[in-house]
Amino acid sequence: DSGVTQTPKHLITATGQRVTLRCSPRSGDLSVYWYQQSLDQGLQFLIQYYNGEERAKGNILERFSAQQFPDLHSELNLSSLELGDSALYFCASSAPGQTAGNTIYFGEGSWLTVV
Amino acid sequence: AQSVTQLGSHVSVSEGALVLLRCNYSSSVPPYLFWYVQYPNQGLQLLLKYTTGATLVKGINGFEAEFKKSETSFHLTKPSAHMSDAAEYFCAVSYTGGFKTIFGAGTRLFVKA
């Protein structure tokens, strides 16, 4: 158990809909990351937050948005869903401090299926 | 730009044989290097990492990796494969001053009985 909690574990929704994925980082961690994993594109970095502020942006679509709240939990919002958005979405966290060598701890992921 | 290349999307070995998973990185500054493992239906977890110091890094479950700056490589090895090693392995790189950890495409390891 990494200490990173993600909900829901599984989600099935229709095209055009909007969903919210939730993440609680490890206790004490200030950084939260979101990744998308799919068979055709592998593991893609979406976005990182540090103590409530956006720190780095990756291959995140405009239809997707994220935020980190004062209690450090984070949400990833996916809207106008398309079939190609079906994937495993990981949240991860790392310890305080802007140290590039920090280990990233991953949650078990949220499986999103768009039908 | 920093990048990571994992050679071979699939590697198959027999139980008891040497495991060698290859990773090369591209970085204009000193890198931090990681290997993560993903077991079926689980998130990624750290196997080992190189930050500074000794270039041969030992990790969990008997795995080790050696940072070779001249070859820009960080290959993962294990002397004797076990069935429980079957998983997907990701090499990753980050660097001082950057906020992103860049992951390779992953190598799926199959272990045959």
Side-chain angles (χ1 to χ4, degrees), chain B residues 31-113:
Chain B
Y32 297 96
L33 296 160
F34 308 78
W35 277 100
Y36 286 82
V37 60
Q38 184 181 21
Y39 297 106
N41 300 315
Q42 293 186 26
L44 283 71
Q45 59 182 278
L46 183 72
L47 262 184
L48 50 80
K49 67 179 178 181
Y50 168 79
T51 52
T52 58
T55 56
L56 182 62
V57 181
K58 295 186 184 300
I60 61 173
N61 300 335
F63 284 93
E64 62 182 37
E66 186 171 10
F67 169 54
K68 292 187 177 180
K69 184 178 178 181
S70 61
E71 299 177 8
T72 62
S73 69
F74 191 57
H75 302 331
L76 181 71
T77 61
K78 181 174 180 177
S80 176
H82 192 273
M83 297 296 287
S84 61
D85 295 326
E88 187 151 21
Y89 293 80
F90 293 89
C91 183
V93 63
S94 65
Y95 52 96
T96 301
F99 297 110
K100 284 194 294 188
T101 298
I102 300 165
F103 285 83
T107 298
R108 186 166 294 278
L109 176 66
F110 298 92
V111 182
K112 300 174 291 186

Side-chain angles (χ1 to χ4, degrees), chain A residues 36 57 94:
Chain A
Q36 179 196 59
K57 217 166 189 176
S94 64

Side-chain angles (χ1 to χ4, degrees), chain A residues 11-17 81-87 112-115:
Chain A
L11 189 58
I12 301 175
T13 190
T15 53
Q17 294 299 305
L81 285 167
E82 302 175 359
L83 295 178
D85 298 327
S86 297
L112 173 65
T113 302
V114 182
V115 296

Side-chain angles (χ1 to χ4, degrees), chain A residues 35-38 86-90 108-112, chain B residues 38 42:
Chain A
Y35 290 86
Q36 179 196 59
Q37 186 178 39
S38 61
S86 297
L88 182 57
Y89 291 84
F90 284 113
E108 294 193 350
S110 292
W111 272 107
L112 173 65
Chain B
Q38 184 181 21
Q42 293 186 26

Side-chain angles (χ1 to χ4, degrees), chain A residues 19 21 35-37 39 47 74 103 113:
Chain A
V19 298
L21 309 181
Y35 290 86
Q36 179 196 59
Q37 186 178 39
L39 282 176
I47 198 164
S74 178
T103 299
T113 302

